[in-house]
Amino acid sequence: GGAISVKRIGDAQKEENAYSIRAGENIEAKTRIAEKAVGMLETGRSIFFDSGSTLMYLARIIPDDSYSILTSGANIALELVKKLRPSVVTLGGQVNRNTLSMSGPYANYILDMVNIDMAFMSASGFSIENGFTVGNIYECELKRKVVKKAKKVIMLMDTSKINKDMPFTYSTLKDIDIWICEKTLPEDLAEEARRQGVEIL
């Protein structure tokens, strides 16, 4: 017995499916990016996996080897522990429904205690003027800290996000070492990336 508003059910389903919708976009591009990125993984390194659907594709295809991976993605951690050999640590914190990322004070506390050799990052948007951007201020703070700590920063971002600005900038081209995308960048952007010393794959 009882009743519930159909509108409330609809709203809940929209929130619940926010990540699923994002994960289903540009599947071919995300797959190509992940296939390029997997060859860069190295055992014996401290590796960070950012949150986001492109990183999820990477998590699915990494070999079952002795990687040491720290991640801010709840879903990415669950995917990685399906394998037997990688060591997986999560940051903890508040979970974002859109990205399934964990961020906030708890995550930053853990980050202060770890070293990062390689960081595989994502972004919600990019423009030459505003750099790599996200929509959540806590995620911005976390990503900014990761980029600062990492010895090598590898951006995994498809070209559909170019010239789309979100409210918060966490890095610019000069902060990253490699940008992996699914196809050739626009010439003006490719030229600026070269000028900033970024390798494009």
Side-chain angles (χ1 to χ4, degrees):
I4 187 169
S5 165
V6 174
K7 181 179 183 300
R8 282 183 61 193
I9 293 173
D11 289 345
Q13 288 175 337
K14 286 176 186 174
E15 287 185 353
E16 183 179 339
N17 292 331
Y19 174 78
S20 298
I21 291 170
R22 289 165 61 91
E25 296 173 343
N26 302 316
I27 293 173
E28 184 178 348
K30 291 171 182 177
T31 301
R32 292 185 65 184
I33 291 169
E35 288 171 349
K36 290 181 181 182
V38 73
M40 305 189 69
L41 289 165
E42 300 177 29
T43 58
R45 300 271 191 164
S46 174
I47 301 170
F48 179 82
F49 272 21
D50 199 1
S51 60
S53 54
T54 304
L55 270 295
M56 184 63 171
Y57 281 87
L58 177 58
R60 286 175 179 160
I61 67 170
I62 71 168
D64 192 356
D65 209 339
S66 302
Y67 299 111
S68 179
I69 299 175
L70 172 69
T71 183
S72 58
N75 58 323
I76 290 171
L78 289 172
E79 185 67 30
L80 290 170
V81 296
K82 292 177 183 177
K83 305 174 192 298
L84 298 177
R85 300 184 67 190
S87 167
V88 183
V89 176
T90 62
L91 289 178
Q94 183 173 356
V95 180
N96 183 320
R97 285 186 176 86
N98 289 319
T99 61
L100 299 184
S101 68
M102 297 172 281
S103 60
Y106 294 119
N108 290 332
Y109 175 74
I110 297 296
L111 270 180
D112 286 337
M113 296 189 292
V114 299
N115 301 310
I116 301 172
D117 283 325
M118 308 173 71
F120 291 82
M121 304 300 295
S122 66
S124 299
F126 174 83
S127 68
I128 292 176
E129 295 78 17
N130 295 308
F132 296 98
T133 58
V134 292
N136 182 288
I137 192 166
Y138 291 119
E139 287 187 39
C140 176
E141 183 181 3
L142 183 148
K143 289 171 185 277
R144 189 176 293 161
K145 182 171 284 192
V146 170
V147 167
K148 185 176 181 180
K149 294 194 70 141
K151 294 177 182 176
K152 179 180 286 188
V153 178
I154 303 157
M155 181 64 63
L156 311 185
M157 197 187 86
D158 65 77
T159 55
S160 71
K161 296 176 182 176
I162 293 173
N163 293 325
K164 292 183 180 179
D165 288 329
M166 299 299 283
F168 306 104
T169 297
Y170 78 87
S171 66
T172 61
L173 280 172
K174 66 180 173 57
D175 300 313
I176 71 169
D177 300 291
I178 298 170
W179 183 349
I180 302 178
C181 47
E182 84 286 9
K183 62 182 181 181
T184 304
L185 293 177
E187 184 52 41
D188 61 332
L189 178 50
E191 177 58 34
E192 181 63 18
R194 286 191 291 267
R195 195 175 73 81
Q196 297 289 350
V198 179
E199 181 181 358
I200 305 296
L201 299 177

